[in-house]
Amino acid sequence: LKEFVAAHGAAQDLSREEARAVPAAPSTAPLPPAVARLLPEPHELWSPPAAVRNVLKLLESAGTPADAVAREIEKDAALGPLFLKVVNAAYSWSGGRTGSVKLAVVKFGYPVVRPLVSTAALVARLARRLEGLDLRDFWGHSLRTAHAAFLLARTTRVGRPDECFIAGLLHDVGRLVQHRLFPDPMKEVAGAMAGGASRDDAEDAVFGVRHAEIGACVCERWAFPAPVSQAARHHHAALE
């Protein structure tokens, strides 16, 4: 990775503080045609629930009291515990777990907390029991990828470790969408793969679009940082 950056340059020129100062905005660009045919707008998938939007609005201002942010996160019975799970997974390397939403908000700061809240909300929306998908295996793979990305970013100082963790965690989120909304077509994909087809070819044949593109569109609509949607879109692409 160091050699690649030395040859091609860093992904962005913004300093860490400048990057933190600019929160991502939801994408308003039209969906790619293949995605729009599969999941036309309006669709609940394309925006966070109202409770999460309220939290994200509070986090836009550095002057919002941490108590108010924590209370808003804890209003949703599912969001609070999942937010803490994501925080503790992301920062397990630091040796300390937190059971307090407010402490996490204060410790990591609003720019870091925003995408962590969105991650927890997206997981809550998609990752219930899904036919044909072993969630333990899925999240095991996602967490290993996330920690590898985090450690690479921290060691090489290429990119922000917190963004890279989320990018790793959500790189396969398009698969969750497929299994959550289209369980029967996913049986066709599984059958094609059992017959020797690659996942990409099977998804092209059944859906006309791959999970990588679906996941990237979700991340853009939910205003995740650009590196998160880019990782989702390109994680099956050739190195070039």
Side-chain angles (χ1 to χ4, degrees):
L1 184 59
K2 287 179 178 179
E3 291 174 0
F4 182 89
V5 172
H8 300 284
Q12 61 173 338
D13 294 323
L14 286 177
S15 72
R16 184 180 179 86
E17 291 308 313
E18 287 171 331
R20 284 181 178 279
V22 184
S27 171
T28 56
L31 292 169
V35 177
R37 284 194 297 271
L38 190 67
L39 293 160
E41 297 190 87
H43 191 285
E44 66 168 8
L45 180 66
W46 299 128
S47 64
V52 176
R53 293 198 298 271
N54 291 340
V55 175
L56 298 179
K57 187 68 177 176
L58 290 176
L59 289 168
E60 286 179 4
S61 171
T64 303
D67 282 333
V69 174
R71 281 196 303 271
E72 200 66 32
I73 293 173
E74 290 170 335
K75 277 184 183 179
D76 188 309
L79 181 61
L82 266 174
F83 168 71
L84 287 175
K85 281 187 177 183
V86 172
V87 169
N88 285 323
Y91 291 96
S92 60
W93 60 270
S94 65
R97 296 176 61 83
T98 179
S100 165
V101 171
K102 181 182 175 182
L103 182 60
V105 169
V106 172
K107 181 177 181 180
F108 297 112
Y110 292 3
V112 171
V113 166
R114 273 181 63 89
L116 294 176
V117 168
S118 294
T119 300
L122 186 55
V123 170
R125 174 165 285 183
L126 291 174
R128 303 164 195 170
R129 293 179 68 88
L130 300 174
E131 185 179 351
L133 182 66
D134 183 336
L135 282 177
R136 184 180 182 86
D137 179 70
F138 177 88
W139 287 117
H141 166 71
S142 298
L143 280 166
R144 287 190 293 273
T145 305
H147 278 287
F150 184 101
L151 292 171
L152 277 169
R154 195 170 61 138
T155 302
T156 62
R157 300 188 179 182
V158 176
R160 286 176 46 188
D162 55 296
E163 286 184 357
C164 291
F165 178 89
I166 294 169
L169 190 66
L170 296 182
H171 75 280
D172 259 343
V173 70
R175 290 183 61 200
L176 289 182
V177 175
Q178 290 173 327
H179 281 275
R180 178 87 176 85
L181 300 179
F182 307 106
D184 290 334
M186 284 306 293
K187 293 176 184 176
E188 296 180 45
V189 171
M193 291 174 63
S198 69
R199 181 181 297 279
D200 285 345
D201 288 345
E203 290 176 348
D204 284 341
V206 174
F207 291 109
V209 65
R210 299 174 181 179
H211 71 276
E213 185 65 26
I214 295 171
C217 290
V218 172
C219 292
E220 288 166 350
R221 283 297 196 271
W222 280 56
F224 282 99
V228 177
S229 58
Q230 291 166 359
R233 178 169 281 117
H234 298 299
H235 72 274
H236 278 246
L239 180 60
E240 290 78 12

